[in-house]
Amino acid sequence: MRNETFHKLRYPLVVALLIFPVYAYFLNMDLSAVGTSIFSTLAGIQATIFAIVFSVVILGVQLSTSQYSPRLPDLFRSDTVYLRTVGVFAVSIGTSLLGLFAYGYVDGFWIELWLYSSGLLAIVAFVSLFDFVDRTLEQSTPEGILDRLEDDLTASQIIDQAEASSDDYREPDPFLVILSVINSQINERDAAAVYLGLDIISRRVSELLAECSVEMLEEDAPVGDSLEDLCTNRLTSTGETAVSAELEEGATEVVSALETIGRAGVDKSLERPVLLPVRGLSDLVLDLGHDGIDERVRGEAIESAKDMLQNAAEAGLWNGTGKATRYLGWQLANSVHVRDENQNYDRRYTSAVINYFPGILRKLVDSTADTIDDDTTNWSSPHPGGAHDSYSEARALQAVYISVAELTGAFLRYELRTGVNFPDWGHVGYGWVKAVSELSDSGLDSFKQQWIGTTLYLQYLSNETPDDVMVDFSPVLRREVSSNEIIAVIEQLLAEEIKPTQWLNFRQTMDPVEIPQTGYQYTLDIDTDESFEDWLSHRQDVLAASMGSGFVDRSGFAERLQEETESTEQDPAEDEDSE
């Protein structure tokens, strides 16, 4: 960067150094005798230097900026320093030429004054040229270009450019040029420039959100569409480019930029700026590969999305939180589906079930439970709040349940398909128990029963699947659930009032927010000895007892069942003795 002191003092220094000797020289000569020579010399020198310097500078700008973006010359063309320099040179040369033509028609005093003015204008023109060259050289560096782009990325200019691009497809999106520069620096592996560019975007968008109204950020509004394209397309692509170039710092900074935008949306109580960054992060989770860098960046994306959603839920933004949670769960499940038997890295996925989604559930319960009439809410319905065109408070809560069920079902299908263990099923069981615990004091009893019923179904599957599938699945409910509540849930399951397979065995194939319930039900390839209903009927007492003191593993469950059977066989003998 230029020295700030010199930058401030260069004008008076140069002017003082040049004016003094020229002025002293002119005081001792008769200007009227050499006026034509001075005018012609000033005009010729200025025109020659202007043409040479500008030609070289423009050629250099084109060569240096071609690696960044083909649209950068437009940035230089609109630069105020460039326009000022051209204007000063035009005025200075024009003054000299006009004085040359006027020579002989004006008396000596006026011609001398004209000569002095032309000389001073020539000095100003050369100082301006120096400033132009200095600024242009600075802007030929990545940091200089990014600083220049930051000046044009104010909230008002973003709004104006977004509206212009929506009306005329030839106008660029406000974030197009700066992202082109960032992507070029990713290919150059310039982590510092990438960090600077993404930091500029996150800060400027945060400032934009502080000035925009809700209507300006809606879908089909120019600013809203530009923000959507930035979060769900451009930044996501930039993150993938960074991972492909093995520039992990750049990819994690993309994640950080999206999180910053989401947090700014939460701070301003804006729903859509919460959804869009989470969608971008969720798409990144699905689209990345399965190597070391990919997995680390995927983990950062999941963690950032979780933090944003918990903050949004705590702020009472249940609409954006519900939609974003549903989308994140869907993409997490999809990313499990596309893995092969050698890609069973599961830590972040297990954390999603254990910690992330239950944490979102807790924040949503605190924000929305008081507004939900649990007695009239059908939690098995795709629209539990009754509204088909929006996310109600109940639907936001349901989104957490669907996400956990969908991801758990993806784990199970992966193991059945590949024969390879994916998650730690003991931890998965704990995640289901934790969600039940978060609902214990919420007053949402029927919603809690939905979670318990699905947990029972998963326990059934763990006993019916092969020994190498769902290993160590043993959810321990202990104090969260009483035996009477377990019996009530079993009765609801037998009466089909609770449908545990509705989302667990469902594969959503389209965007679940835009096009919900588009997919198909899976038929699990499991050789079962008995149906779920028979399994519940035959073991109701055992299940109630085991749930009251915690689920047990397969061997423990068999021991409990054997004890219950022996106890039942002894009852008739005891009756006979009593007679």
Side-chain angles (χ1 to χ4, degrees), residues 349-359 361-362 379 397-413 423-440 446-462 470 472-481 485-486 489 493 498-506 532 547 551:
Y349 296 89
T350 304
S351 296
V353 176
I354 295 174
N355 181 29
Y356 300 164
F357 287 124
L361 178 65
R362 179 178 64 255
W379 294 101
L397 284 171
Q398 186 197 53
V400 180
Y401 166 78
I402 295 175
S403 296
V404 176
E406 195 170 27
L407 186 54
T408 304
F411 293 157
L412 177 56
R413 290 190 287 274
D424 183 326
W425 283 99
H427 290 163
V428 173
Y430 174 75
W432 281 87
V433 172
K434 188 174 181 181
V436 172
S437 177
E438 299 296 351
L439 292 167
S440 294
S446 59
F447 188 43
K448 177 183 175 183
Q449 290 162 2
Q450 181 81 21
W451 285 86
I452 296 172
T454 309
T455 308
L456 278 170
Y457 181 69
L458 288 170
Q459 179 66 13
Y460 160 74
L461 291 177
S462 72
M470 296 186 72
D472 295 330
F473 180 79
S474 53
V476 181
L477 286 170
R478 297 191 183 279
R479 292 183 299 274
E480 283 76 14
V481 179
E485 190 168 5
I486 295 301
V489 170
L493 288 167
I498 296 176
K499 301 175 182 178
T501 64
Q502 182 177 1
W503 300 108
L504 195 68
N505 294 352
F506 183 68
F532 179 48
M547 288 287 281
F551 267 136

Side-chain angles (χ1 to χ4, degrees), residues 149-335:
L149 289 170
E150 183 178 12
D151 294 338
D152 288 345
L153 211 62
T154 62
S156 59
Q157 289 173 309
I158 292 173
I159 294 171
D160 293 342
Q161 190 62 45
E163 292 175 346
S165 62
S166 68
D167 296 333
D168 185 355
Y169 67 91
R170 292 172 296 182
E171 292 291 332
D173 181 85
F175 303 102
L176 175 61
V177 177
I178 188 170
L179 281 167
S180 297
V181 175
I182 292 171
N183 283 313
S184 69
Q185 294 312 292
I186 288 175
N187 294 327
E188 296 294 328
R189 299 188 60 77
D190 189 345
V194 173
Y195 174 86
L196 176 61
L198 291 170
D199 180 64
I200 289 171
I201 290 177
S202 59
R203 285 190 290 104
R204 290 306 195 190
V205 174
S206 298
E207 294 169 3
L208 172 70
L209 296 179
E211 297 189 18
C212 282
S213 63
V214 175
E215 292 74 18
M216 295 176 67
L217 298 173
E218 292 297 329
E219 191 174 359
D220 297 329
V223 178
D225 287 346
S226 179
L227 182 63
E228 179 176 1
D229 187 48
L230 173 69
C231 293
T232 64
N233 181 18
R234 297 189 186 279
L235 284 177
T236 302
S237 298
T238 300
E240 294 172 13
T241 301
V243 170
S244 299
E246 297 185 351
L247 188 66
E248 186 173 349
E249 302 95 324
T252 55
E253 188 57 32
V254 168
V255 172
S256 178
L258 286 167
E259 183 177 0
T260 300
I261 294 171
R263 287 182 180 274
V266 172
D267 292 340
K268 301 304 176 183
S269 298
L270 298 170
E271 301 274 5
R272 199 156 186 260
V274 173
L275 171 63
L276 296 179
V278 174
R279 288 189 60 172
L281 292 171
S282 302
D283 290 341
L284 201 60
V285 168
L286 176 63
D287 296 337
L288 290 177
H290 304 95
D291 296 327
I293 293 178
D294 299 71
E295 293 289 10
R296 288 193 294 273
V297 174
R298 177 181 285 108
E300 292 289 335
I302 297 172
E303 182 82 22
S304 295
K306 177 266 299 185
D307 290 340
M308 267 192 290
L309 290 174
Q310 289 190 2
N311 290 334
E314 188 173 14
L317 302 177
W318 45 263
N319 190 5
T321 305
K323 291 179 179 180
T325 299
R326 182 71 188 92
Y327 195 88
L328 175 62
W330 177 58
Q331 293 295 53
L332 282 171
N334 284 337
S335 66

Side-chain angles (χ1 to χ4, degrees), residues 542 546 551-563:
V542 176
S546 63
F551 267 136
V552 294
D553 57 19
R554 297 185 186 196
S555 60
F557 186 86
E559 292 175 2
R560 290 276 187 97
L561 182 59
Q562 182 63 30
E563 292 173 1

Side-chain angles (χ1 to χ4, degrees), residues 409 412-413 416 457 461 465 501 504-505 521-528:
L412 177 56
R413 290 190 287 274
L416 291 173
Y457 181 69
L461 291 177
T465 51
T501 64
L504 195 68
N505 294 352
Q521 288 284 340
Y522 263 91
T523 301
L524 297 175
D525 186 16
I526 301 175
D527 185 14
T528 59

